[in-house]
Amino acid sequence: PELPALAANTPDPAEMLAASVRGPDDIITVYKAPTCGCCGNWVEHLRENGFTVNVVEESAMLTVKTGLGVPSGMHSCHTAVVGGEIIEGHVPADVLRDYLADEATRSASIGLSVPGMPIGSPGMEIEGAPADAYDVVTFSETGSATYASR
């Protein structure tokens, strides 16, 4: 099936990654649907943990994910780029910082993901609801591996 076109304000996926390669590891660009509250909560989590966050409101999120090479099994609601890496979903800020400092793991992967939307992950906290156990995984064109568990 044909994928929807990117909104006029969204750069080409190759441009997204190229721009993030030039940027420092504490400046992250988050692509999110305009109406997604949990994505906004994750952005606030990142800011509270010292990241500078640029937010791009994007309706065609599947196009962003596909264009950046995020495997379908890694999908969540928002996609980010930082330091040449793809960050998918509700990745905790401390795990993201560890990953960005881990050159060996970064060189063997193209990104980090919390697949789905587990309750209790940053931005997905629900008062009174127990947190789900979840994995933060690295991914590449050839597969994925658990990087951290929560």
Side-chain angles (χ1 to χ4, degrees):
E2 188 171 311
L3 297 174
L6 290 171
N9 66 332
T10 301
D12 176 271
E15 292 174 20
M16 289 184 239
L17 273 180
S20 79
V21 170
R22 292 188 300 270
D25 284 351
D26 61 346
I27 299 176
I28 186 167
T29 300
V30 177
Y31 298 86
K32 67 177 227 35
T35 58
C36 188
C38 68
C39 297
N41 294 340
W42 186 68
V43 165
E44 288 310 309
H45 167 75
L46 292 177
R47 287 180 174 146
E48 289 168 2
N49 285 278
F51 285 91
T52 299
V53 184
N54 300 317
V55 176
V56 177
E57 303 288 340
E58 177 55 61
S59 299
M61 286 303 301
L62 181 58
T63 301
V64 170
K65 293 170 191 318
T66 304
L68 288 170
V70 179
S72 62
M74 297 292 113
H75 286 189
S76 183
C77 50
H78 52 266
T79 303
V81 291
V82 59
E85 303 294 326
I86 303 163
I87 309 302
E88 181 71 14
H90 296 269
V91 174
D94 64 317
V95 175
L96 177 54
R97 283 223 186 269
D98 290 346
Y99 173 75
L100 292 172
D102 185 346
E103 281 300 320
T105 301
R106 283 176 73 174
S107 68
S109 65
I110 62 170
L112 195 62
S113 175
V114 171
M117 298 169 62
I119 302 300
S121 60
M124 286 297 299
E125 300 92 347
I126 297 175
E127 191 173 330
D132 295 333
Y134 63 92
D135 290 330
V136 182
V137 297
T138 60
F139 62 90
S140 68
E141 295 87 2
T142 59
S144 63
T146 300
Y147 185 73
S149 296
R150 294 289 165 100

